[in-house]
Amino acid sequence: MAITYNCRHCGNIIGKIDEPVVDSSMLGLDHLTSKEKEEMVHYNENGDVSIQAICEDCEEALDNHPHYHELDYFLQ
């Protein structure tokens, strides 16, 4: 099973964990609300998991330009 972290803004791969068994509490998923899990965690048919997060570059862009939070997409 692979767990891939992707930036929800630019789509870049932030990181990947390729382990046969991973405890969701080790990943911090137990701290998410049901709505956050629904929005951020996606289970693929092959058993892999995709987690939507924010990469450092996009986080910096949002910090420097707070009005970007109002936009659906801020990357051109």
Side-chain angles (χ1 to χ4, degrees):
M1 169 173 69
I3 299 170
T4 307
Y5 287 84
N6 298 298
C7 180
R8 65 179 174 200
H9 296 289
C10 67
N12 287 335
I13 295 176
I14 301 169
K16 185 174 184 177
I17 300 170
D18 202 4
E19 293 290 330
V21 178
V22 178
D23 187 339
S24 64
S25 65
M26 291 175 61
L27 301 174
L29 299 180
D30 56 330
H31 295 285
L32 298 176
T33 65
S34 296
K35 183 177 180 184
E36 290 169 331
K37 286 180 188 175
E38 185 178 313
E39 293 174 356
M40 297 174 61
V41 183
H42 305 281
Y43 298 93
N44 302 325
E45 290 181 15
N46 65 355
D48 291 351
V49 179
S50 297
I51 300 176
Q52 301 295 309
I54 300 175
C55 71
E56 291 178 0
D57 293 334
C58 289
E59 183 177 16
E60 184 178 337
L62 288 167
D63 287 345
N64 291 334
H65 306 281
H67 63 281
Y68 284 177
H69 287 280
E70 300 171 6
L71 306 173
D72 290 333
Y73 302 99
F74 64 89
L75 297 177
Q76 301 277 329

